[in-house]
Amino acid sequence: KEAPTHEMTIQCDSSRVGMLIGRGGVTSDAIKEQSGVVSFVADRQKRGLITLKGSEPSLNQAAAIVKGMEPSAHVVQGPRQCPPSKKHTTNPLPSIRVTG
């Protein structure tokens, strides 16, 4: 999968987030497949926030799908560029030669 270039935060009624995720994530997976977003994450504090990551067009498509399913949903932030990835680099261990 391609690394996401943008992210968006959507606010909806906190009692409706479960419906947008679906049993076992089936609904959020369908939204990801239909729109092309690569990440659909609901806020763990149950404030009704959903963060999406993907290309800008895929975010707009996903937002339209979510708004169609949950009319109270609205974009509160984004689409905005994702912050640069903080890839962890490790120093390789020096080669050890075992003899004997």
Side-chain angles (χ1 to χ4, degrees), residues 23-93:
R23 183 167 291 194
V26 69
T27 306
S28 59
D29 287 348
I31 293 170
K32 287 176 12 183
E33 186 175 319
Q34 290 174 21
S35 66
V37 297
V38 296
S39 176
F40 183 110
V41 179
D43 143 52
R44 291 184 184 267
Q45 283 76 39
K46 302 190 190 273
R47 295 175 296 192
L49 296 175
I50 297 170
T51 302
L52 306 168
K53 292 185 180 184
S55 67
E56 191 169 357
S58 69
L59 294 175
N60 292 326
Q61 178 67 28
I65 294 169
V66 169
K67 288 176 189 178
M69 295 174 68
E70 176 48 52
S72 75
H74 59 280
V75 176
V76 292
Q77 208 170 34
R80 63 190 178 281
Q81 283 196 305
C82 287
S85 175
K86 294 180 182 179
K87 293 187 178 181
H88 298 286
T89 57
T90 57
N91 293 331
L93 293 174

